Amino acid sequence: MVFLYHTVWMSRRVNGCNNCTDRYGNRIQQGMTGNKSSGRLGRPRSFDIDRALDRALQVFWRKGYEGASLSDLTKAVGVNRPSLYAAFGDKKALFRKALDRYLTGPASYTQEALKEPTARAVVERLLQGAADLNTAPRNPGGCLMVQGALASGDAGDSIRQELVACRAAGEAALRRRFQRAKSEGDLPATMNPADLARYVATIAYGMAVQAAGGASRDKLQHVVRMTLRTLPL
């Protein structure tokens, strides 16, 4: 499951990286301009950027950053390697664009969850959304943000570190939401927002791992219900 990363990721890239959305738009524009005279290295006229990103996303989601080979990606996208580079840049750039696609598409429920009026409703919508996302038949099992690069070699370490930082930023966003809830009297005065955010994040990450191992939607919904029963919300 993705966990509250969309606001942080889309407003600023961690570790000094630029905004993914801006980079995505700029490179598409550059590619469209440059390919008018690029000959055989340009993209086919029928090339669909959105569809290509959706297909690349599925590969990364299923195999992780390092597990997804360039052969896997070119086959899924339907272009050769030079055309893939012309459209998206290198593999890291493609992963980041696919991740943006993930955050604004399948995982966009996280933003809606933050708008819920109570802390309990926030948690319920997040965890229910995670159960649905992680087990939907049309999706690879689990969460791209959790499984994209849990471990990596030197070549993928920068991606791993970015995902680690984004998970931390997502937890911080949830902590701030709980701090607001506490100030509004929606959480007990004795509740520590940071501890609660860490607890909910841990449940969410665990659900993603369970789903990747084959847990059904029904089993994850049991986890959601048990979590809600145990929280003082």
Side-chain angles (χ1 to χ4, degrees):
M1 160 206 168
V2 62
F3 191 61
L4 298 179
Y5 308 121
H6 181 264
T7 297
V8 178
W9 186 276
M10 298 300 284
S11 63
R12 60 174 176 82
R13 288 295 307 279
V14 296
N15 296 336
C17 294
N18 293 326
N19 183 282
C20 277
T21 304
D22 291 342
R23 183 174 57 245
Y24 172 91
N26 290 341
R27 285 195 175 168
I28 290 177
Q29 184 61 43
Q30 292 166 5
M32 291 175 64
T33 302
N35 283 341
K36 290 180 180 179
S37 59
S38 57
R40 63 184 181 84
L41 296 183
R43 301 193 301 271
R45 287 181 180 273
S46 60
F47 187 78
D48 186 316
I49 287 284
D50 291 336
R51 182 176 297 179
L53 281 174
D54 286 339
R55 291 175 176 175
L57 168 58
Q58 290 292 312
V59 175
F60 285 126
W61 196 345
R62 186 171 64 253
K63 296 191 172 187
Y65 173 74
E66 287 198 325
S69 69
L70 284 172
S71 295
D72 294 329
L73 293 166
T74 54
K75 182 177 179 181
V77 172
V79 297
N80 59 25
R81 191 172 299 186
S83 295
L84 190 74
Y85 289 153
F88 300 110
D90 61 13
K91 182 181 173 182
K92 289 181 181 179
L94 177 56
F95 178 83
R96 288 163 178 150
K97 293 180 177 101
L99 184 57
D100 288 341
R101 191 80 173 170
Y102 178 75
L103 295 169
T104 58
S108 60
Y109 70 89
T110 58
Q111 281 303 287
E112 296 306 313
L114 284 175
K115 300 174 185 177
E116 291 291 341
T118 66
R120 180 182 179 85
V122 169
V123 174
E124 183 171 9
R125 188 156 184 180
L126 279 173
L127 296 185
Q128 187 58 59
D132 294 342
L133 175 69
N134 292 337
T135 60
R138 65 184 179 279
N139 298 332
C143 168
L144 177 64
M145 290 294 298
V146 174
Q147 296 152 221
L150 280 179
S152 68
D154 292 343
D157 195 56
S158 64
I159 294 295
R160 182 189 66 80
Q161 290 181 16
E162 287 185 30
L163 294 184
V164 167
C166 281
R167 289 194 293 271
E171 185 177 314
L174 185 57
R175 183 191 71 238
R176 290 190 294 272
R177 178 63 184 85
F178 289 152
Q179 286 172 336
R180 192 186 99 194
K182 185 175 180 179
S183 70
E184 294 170 347
D186 184 42
L187 285 176
T190 56
M191 174 63 67
N192 185 313
D195 289 345
L196 180 57
R198 189 173 303 112
Y199 176 77
V200 174
T202 300
I203 296 296
Y205 302 151
M207 288 172 61
V209 174
Q210 288 285 315
S216 68
R217 181 173 180 272
D218 183 63
K219 289 181 178 179
L220 293 187
Q221 286 180 323
H222 281 295
V223 173
V224 175
R225 288 193 289 270
M226 180 171 289
T227 301
L228 291 171
R229 286 198 301 269
T230 60
L231 291 177
L233 302 175

